[in-house]
Amino acid sequence: MNSKILNSIQKIATTFVDNQFDTSLETVSIDSRSLQNGSQTLFFALVGSHTNAHVYVNDLIKNGVRNFVVNHIPEGCEKKANFYLVADTLIALQEFAAQYRALFDFPIIGVTGSNGKTIVKEWLNFLLSPDYNVIRSPKSYNSQVGVPLSVIAINEQHNLGIFEAGISTNSEMSRLEKIIQPTIGLLTNVGSAHDEGFLNLEEKRKEKMLLFKNSEVVIYQIKQNDVSVILSKQNAFTWSFEKNQASVFIEKIKSNDKTELKVYYGNVYFDLLIPFQEEASIENAISCLMVLLYFKYDPITIQNRMQLLYPVEMRLKVKNGINNCNIIDDSYSSDFQSLKIALDFLESQKQSDNKTVILSDIFQSGLYKEELYSKVADLIVSNNITRVIGIGETISEFKDKFANCITYKNSADFIADYDNLDFNNETILIKGARSFEFEAIVSLLEEKTHETVLEINLNAISYNLNFFKAKLQPNVKIMVMVKAFGYGNGGFEIAKLLEHHKVDYLGVAFADEGIALKSMGIQMPIMVLNPENTSFSAIIQHQLEPEIYSFKGLRAFLKMAAQKELKEFPIHIKIDTGMHRLGFEANTIDELITTLKGNATVKVKSILSHLATSDDFSQKDFTQSQIDLFEKLSSKLMSELKIKPIRHILNTSGISNFSNSQYDMVRLGIGIYGVSNDPEEQKKLENVGTLKSIISQIRIVSEGESVGYGRKYRAQKSTKIATIPIGYADGISRAWGNEVGFVTIKNKKATIVGSICMDMLMVDCTDIDCKEGDSVIIFGQNPSVNFMAQQLNTIPYEILTSISQRVKRIFYRE
């Protein structure tokens, strides 16, 4: 039992309702969906803008949880568990974490800034872990919820902490400071990222510096003409590229993909190499160097360790695997906290009940080996893992703790035995420390496709979903459209995430899309918007719910429903209020009522209509006339048929522009994929899809020479041309070529020259320091799909849905 958890919860202002259940506590949870919840879990029922975990308390009790922090005891849960009653469960979680943190006395590095927090944290962990037992934030857990969850993972064996803190507006940092209580402060680059919550850069900087108000030292960069918060010399340890009053002066010389740093610190001078040239990476590396200097590391140790710094992969990626497998790639870290996160992600993205975990030795847990692997085994059991493949000498020692487990001493032994292993129709989590080089294992198991990929940010989908949820009135349901292969982003993986978020409905265009989702295990209701009469039998078989928009369709479905002796099969009635595309018109409502009245084979689950101009304020009156007609006709249907169906008319633009007409449900479409017609709203959404490729070849084209079919482009001077393996067969419009569009290489625009080919396009990269194999962004942040649509005189929907399914989708979570 972790007595510190009990000790900490007892110290915050709660009213304890003791129902005589065991108060032995091992873990803290806020996620009702986690399979790791159990009898020794303390569950905080958090309340968000559109979520309330109190509604899941009864289900958690059924699953064995017996200790809850709540703002009220949910109805029907009285005397079934112990309850700590508080006014605000989020504040209680933060106060609890602060009490827990106060039980430990060792150095804590607090990291904040606009950019580089997670990279600096991971690099510091790499640089300091040979000498310290480090506890750090898992992934990028730096929010008002993530920070307390990170701190609660401290145990008695740790002797150094590294926690990052992120904020989005004023008044947030003081809460995080009380939780982290950093003894050493580290401020990374403060820039324009996440500016929306602040008046200006200086206000943001001042708020971030509140993290360090009780720190013994604060490390940060001094820049010329930089308006920054000036600290007293007693607690500032500064660096600069300019000769001034900074504690450490640094010169940089770039060469051969590396950077030489010349370090002047008091009377000490030394140089070192780091394997990066990007400015952001150089600054992040220097932040780490400053910590090593503060810890009084000698120059030789600093040189030896910093030359080994590596690119940090902060994402859990979902990839298609061989033999109908799907892979969750987390092959760059192996610690206990991130394993728990990865297992939860595995459950949310599994495509099969067969789940395999390929796991390396686990480092820096702060636990003795016997205890650590016992806890890992418990996690494996609670997450219903089918098979464990352990790689490493330590995990091999504890093989007997796992059921159905095979182990190898190292990755090479696994690869040598690969042909004897059967991977088929399963979800595989690959999780290993960098030293095990699990990239080779991922390569073996990954389905081989070409090097153009569409990366889908699942965090951004979650964020955008919650952004629109926050606009809804209480109890309004939400349907999310995943038709057309999730607007080109991918169907099943997004549907699985939405099911994890407990949205109320999914919407697809045709029956085969819904059948595919049901066949892959999606359980939630799915509405088919454009069902063909020939698909009705399959719709019934797979428990899909058809939209009915015509008498021909209605009579055909009623006939089949009668033949199959159905009872109250759910259907959705569409009314045409002005779109004039599909739906029952006003003059047919009486006949519709007559046809449906008394028919027990079907149940009108919802009544809906579709807005034609919800994004165009110049036609606001027309939209309002649609809503008024919908109100009139749907009310008549409800009254005459004596039914209370779900009513819905708002699409993405309607949610934002006609909030008084949310009815019982809204339909969220392209907004969840990060696209809005409103420029101000667009700034608040997160980009979901980034289409990437690589440079296949670079050549120099002399003045007067041409590029591509038809010789549409002729060089005006000696020009460096890069060829990118993506073309119109992948969904890139030919109209985007011939110097209309561009791609991004090394954060610089590279204009597309000549005609776009079926499988390739060419760009001018004369002014870009790039090489073959470098990454290329086709669209994402820059250019955005909105910008491309404007330039091509089309809409973002067409850009997204045009991306061919031969382009590999990689789903990831930060």
Side-chain angles (χ1 to χ4, degrees), residues 204-320:
K204 181 198 288 190
R205 191 189 301 269
K206 286 181 178 178
E207 177 70 17
K208 287 184 178 293
M209 293 295 276
L210 291 176
L211 178 63
F212 312 133
K213 65 180 182 180
N214 295 309
S215 299
E216 63 189 39
V217 65
V218 182
I219 298 168
Y220 63 99
Q221 179 185 10
I222 293 178
K223 297 180 182 179
Q224 190 174 11
N225 302 322
D226 187 18
V227 180
S228 45
V229 178
I230 304 300
L231 299 171
S232 68
K233 290 184 178 180
Q234 284 72 28
N235 66 345
F237 186 40
T238 59
W239 68 274
S240 180
F241 289 127
E242 296 136 11
K243 289 185 178 180
N244 52 26
Q245 299 303 309
S247 311
V248 179
F249 167 57
I250 294 174
E251 293 181 295
K252 57 184 176 181
I253 303 171
K254 298 180 180 180
S255 64
N256 298 325
D257 296 329
K258 297 182 179 180
T259 302
E260 180 184 358
L261 299 179
K262 295 182 178 296
V263 182
Y264 300 86
Y265 175 31
N267 296 323
V268 177
Y269 162 77
F270 62 94
D271 54 21
L272 64 125
L273 281 176
I274 56 173
F276 305 103
Q277 285 197 341
E278 300 87 358
E279 289 301 317
S281 296
I282 293 171
E283 291 189 10
N284 291 334
I286 294 172
S287 292
C288 297
L289 164 68
M290 293 294 289
V291 174
L292 296 181
L293 290 174
Y294 183 74
F295 277 35
K296 296 183 168 41
Y297 277 82
D298 63 89
I300 293 176
T301 302
I302 293 174
Q303 291 165 336
N304 290 339
R305 293 187 186 178
M306 291 198 64
Q307 68 180 344
L308 300 176
L309 291 179
Y310 51 86
V312 173
E313 178 58 69
M314 296 177 287
R315 306 178 300 183
L316 286 155
K317 294 181 179 178
V318 182
K319 302 176 177 179
N320 291 329

Side-chain angles (χ1 to χ4, degrees), residues 334-353:
S334 182
D335 60 86
F336 187 66
Q337 287 304 113
S338 66
L339 174 61
K340 294 169 71 173
I341 295 168
L343 286 169
D344 278 339
F345 186 64
L346 166 64
E347 183 61 24
S348 72
Q349 283 294 311
K350 68 177 183 182
Q351 296 184 18
S352 168
D353 288 335

Side-chain angles (χ1 to χ4, degrees), residues 144-164:
Q144 298 290 308
V145 174
V147 168
L149 293 178
S150 300
V151 166
I152 293 164
I154 300 173
N155 66 45
E156 288 81 355
Q157 304 305 315
H158 294 123
N159 56 13
L160 177 68
I162 310 171
F163 298 107
E164 56 176 296

Side-chain angles (χ1 to χ4, degrees), residues 511-529:
D512 57 351
E513 296 175 314
I515 291 169
L517 293 177
K518 286 289 188 180
S519 298
M520 296 176 79
I522 297 297
Q523 300 295 317
M524 62 192 304
I526 299 175
M527 182 174 127
V528 183
L529 281 76

